[in-house]
Amino acid sequence: MLRVLTPVSGTAVAMSEVPDPVFAQGMVGPGAAVRPGAGSQEAVAPVAGRIMKLHPHAFMVLAEESYAVLVHLGIDTVKLDGAGFEKLVEEGADVAAGDPMIRWNPTEIEAKGLSAVVPVAALEADAASVTDIASGEVASGDTLFSWA
């Protein structure tokens, strides 16, 4: 069982509450989302593994046994072309769960009219394999869900 950590502090919500049908309908994979708290934050690795993809607004970490976790910082934030995001690691690096990945400011994202909600998806997972989904206030590094 893989424990997936909350990459940002805020309020854990169901994936169905993400204002993007790709995430809300589970097309990317099951998981959970976090409405981040205000102000500058460092998004952390939700699992230990290798960074397979790293964009200013999103990253994917491949953990042991081919578990891949996607973290997307805000919705439609690709349109910002990296503005407001600072990568703290390099693609291909090995990270420990909880290592800082990207510095960003959700308040600035929302000021631009975008949602700052952070979907965390278990890629190519069966919905039944994601359990113990957190709800309510969470701190960065808390368990967000478990993946069997």
Side-chain angles (χ1 to χ4, degrees), residues 81-141:
D81 199 27
F85 298 92
E86 178 186 356
K87 293 191 268 186
L88 305 174
V89 291
E90 296 294 327
E91 189 171 293
D94 291 324
V95 292
D99 279 357
M101 302 282 291
I102 296 175
R103 185 174 295 121
W104 70 310
N105 189 326
T107 305
E108 292 176 0
I109 300 301
E110 290 176 345
K112 294 175 180 168
L114 300 173
S115 170
V117 71
V118 178
V120 180
L123 298 178
E124 299 184 17
D126 198 56
S129 65
V130 172
T131 60
D132 305 324
I133 299 172
S135 62
E137 295 300 310
V138 290
S140 177

Side-chain angles (χ1 to χ4, degrees), residues 8-33:
V8 297
S9 296
T11 304
V13 297
M15 193 70 100
S16 61
E17 294 184 34
V18 173
D20 182 315
V22 172
F23 289 106
Q25 296 173 13
M27 290 186 242
V28 175

